[in-house]
């Protein structure tokens, strides 16, 4: 949820001016999330990070209105640290503070003050929530990349939100130990290294902050690893042209990468620069073209002519892995659906009765195949962290391709 908030906020920060009437809807969604995060961080050195028990929740297939599984609340604190979730929460609050800086400065100040406090807690009491809350969060929500990326990411957002030299010094002093120069090329809810590099590169490219020159190089290395046809390209693409990172919820990497491509293209354009990938010059226009190709594929320009956004186009997933979508509504079926009773619908081949308009699912496999099976959560489950970065890319592309 925190990563979703950060990315939705970043979308508004970079492309909110192109959203027209949708800008207010985006702000409303962000405020809903930050209000929750403010409540979750109300007590110093404590964050309430999870409601519900993953095991019992996954054992049921029932509507939200019928849920009767335990609503247990779990927290991180000094004794049970969770640096990943704490630093990401700080990033979300910082990014959101920028969204509201002009429209609601009082609320913006509240967000950034809380972000400062939460980041201090994240950094001071270091430890993985996958260790302290292992029996609660694993195997469903484990952190696999460690917490170093979130510390760098959180500090980067606080630097952008506060312009306080403390965070710049923190980044310069700790960046290498926190993995600033790691050669990974994935960006997702669990791994923020690439996002931090792109974010910090703006300070050098646009604001001419020379001390962050290395992050331009780090960002360039990432770009070269993603763009096909360069000597440094490492990314894999399906025969139909979709970026393919892994089988489980691959579309999250597509939407996050597309957002970084259009955002870095914006920064490069401002600086009148391109990227040299082993002698191949990669221009901002090339990055936008690649991002557009990914988004076009997602929306139906692919071998199956399938839109992976539910409710968009003439053909889209009918049996998504989503309880509320797959079970009859309270209007149609007002009586309670018991915990295990819903699995009859889960296992059926009937289309979902409720169309979750706008949700983006995990997407096709490496061969462009999509079985559209409700039980196939890797390909059929939607998630807010898939949608959030797509908002920025769509705002840019919908406005006018190539004219940013």
């Amino acid at each position: 949820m925190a990563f979703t908030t950060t990315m939705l906020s970043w979308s508004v920060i970079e492309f909110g001016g192109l959203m027209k009437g949708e800008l207010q809807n985006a702000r409303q969604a962000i405020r809903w999330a930050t209000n929750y995060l403010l409540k979750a961080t109300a007590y110093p050195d404590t964050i309430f990070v999870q409601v519900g028990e993953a095991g019992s929740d996954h054992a049921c297939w029932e509507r939200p209105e019928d849920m009767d599984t335990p609503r247990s609340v779990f927290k991180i604190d000094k004794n049970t640290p969770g640096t990943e979730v704490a630093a990401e929460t700080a990033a979300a609050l910082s990014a959101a503070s920028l969204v509201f800086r002009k429209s609601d400065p009082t609320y913006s100040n509240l967000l950034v003050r809380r972000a400062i406090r939460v980041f201090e807690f994240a950094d001071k009491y270091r430890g993985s929530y996958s260790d302290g809350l292992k029996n609660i969060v694993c195997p469903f929500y484990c952190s696999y990349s460690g917490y170093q990326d979130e510390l760098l990411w959180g500090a980067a957002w606080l630097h952008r939100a506060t312009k306080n030299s403390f965070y710049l010094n923190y980044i310069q002093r700790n960046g290498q130990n926190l993995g600033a120069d790691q050669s990974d090329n994935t960006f997702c809810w669990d791994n923020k290294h690439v996002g931090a590099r792109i974010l910090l590169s703006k300070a050098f490219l646009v604001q001419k902050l020379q001390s962050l020159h290395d992050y331009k190089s780090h960002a360039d290395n990432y770009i070269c690893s993603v763009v096909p046809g360069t000597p440094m390209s490492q990314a894999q693409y399906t025969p139909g042209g979709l970026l393919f990172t892994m089988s489980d919820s691959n579309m999250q990497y597509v939407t996050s990468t597309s957002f970084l491509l259009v955002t870095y293209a914006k920064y490069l354009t401002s600086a009148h620069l391109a990227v040299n990938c082993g002698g191949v010059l990669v221009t901002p226009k090339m990055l936008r073209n690649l991002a557009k190709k990914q988004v076009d594929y997602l929306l139906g320009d692919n071998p199956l002519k399938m839109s992976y956004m539910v409710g968009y186009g003439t053909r889209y997933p009918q049996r998504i892995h989503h309880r509320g979508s797959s079970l009859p509504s309270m209007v149609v079926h007002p009586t309670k659906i018991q915990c295990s009773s819903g699995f009859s619908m889960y296992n059926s081949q009937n289309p979902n009765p409720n169309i979750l308009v706008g949700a983006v699912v995990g997407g096709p496999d490496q061969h462009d195949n999509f079985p559209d099976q409700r039980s196939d959560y890797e390909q059929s489950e939607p998630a807010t962290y898939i949608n959030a970065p797509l908002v920025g890319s769509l705002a840019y592309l919908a406005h006018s391709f190539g004219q940013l």
Side-chain angles (χ1 to χ4, degrees), residues 20-273:
K20 299 182 180 178
E22 292 301 316
L23 177 58
Q24 191 55 37
N25 291 330
R27 284 178 179 155
Q28 185 177 354
I30 293 166
R31 189 184 290 264
W32 185 93
T34 49
N35 282 346
Y36 183 94
L37 295 176
L38 286 171
K39 293 175 183 177
T41 58
Y43 300 101
D45 297 336
T46 301
I47 305 180
F48 297 97
V49 297
Q50 182 174 309
V51 178
E53 299 175 16
S56 58
D57 285 353
H58 279 80
C60 294
W61 195 260
E62 56 187 347
R63 300 174 297 193
E65 297 90 343
D66 293 332
M67 286 184 73
D68 50 12
T69 50
R71 297 295 86 199
S72 307
V73 178
F74 301 96
K75 66 178 181 178
I76 57 172
D77 55 24
K78 298 177 183 178
N79 299 317
T80 309
T83 299
E84 302 98 331
V85 67
E88 180 60 62
T89 301
L93 294 168
S94 300
S97 76
L98 293 167
V99 171
F100 296 104
R101 178 158 289 175
K102 292 182 179 179
S103 62
D104 191 343
T106 301
Y107 188 64
S108 174
N109 288 335
L110 172 63
L111 294 176
V112 78
R113 288 197 305 269
R114 186 63 58 81
I116 291 169
R117 192 178 83 186
V118 171
F119 184 79
E120 183 179 354
F121 163 63
D123 189 43
K124 184 176 181 180
Y125 300 99
R126 294 191 183 188
S128 174
Y129 81 113
S130 291
D131 293 333
L133 296 177
K134 183 175 182 178
N135 295 332
I136 304 302
V137 303
C138 294
F140 300 100
Y141 319 119
C142 295
S143 171
Y144 295 100
S145 67
Y147 57 72
Q148 289 80 7
D149 54 309
E150 278 86 8
L151 285 174
L152 183 63
W153 174 244
W157 275 111
L158 274 163
H159 173 251
R160 184 156 178 180
T162 67
K163 299 295 187 290
N164 190 320
S165 61
F166 171 84
Y167 298 105
L168 178 60
N169 293 334
Y170 180 94
I171 292 163
Q172 292 171 327
R173 188 171 63 253
N174 297 290
Q176 189 166 354
N177 290 334
L178 297 178
D181 58 354
Q182 285 188 10
S183 58
D184 50 34
N185 61 358
T186 59
F187 178 47
C188 63
W189 66 266
D190 183 36
N191 192 334
K192 322 296 168 39
H193 277 130
V194 169
R197 287 175 216 145
I198 298 291
L199 180 64
L200 289 169
S201 72
K202 181 181 182 180
F204 171 76
L205 286 168
V206 180
Q207 295 148 359
K208 310 303 181 186
L209 196 58
Q210 295 299 319
S211 60
L212 293 178
H213 173 272
D214 285 352
Y215 287 91
K216 163 68 165 62
S217 300
H218 299 328
D220 284 356
N221 289 339
Y222 162 70
I223 292 298
C224 294
S225 76
V226 171
V227 175
T230 71
M232 302 163 66
S233 181
Q234 300 173 12
Q236 295 182 338
Y237 291 82
T238 69
L242 184 71
L243 175 70
F244 190 81
T245 303
M246 64 175 60
S247 59
D248 190 354
S249 190
N250 181 67
M251 205 61 85
Q252 68 176 305
Y253 304 101
V254 175
T255 60
S256 63
T257 300
S258 299
F259 176 82
L260 293 183
L261 290 173
V262 293
T263 299
Y264 200 53
K266 178 183 175 183
Y267 299 165
L268 289 171
T269 300
S270 296
H272 305 288
L273 291 174

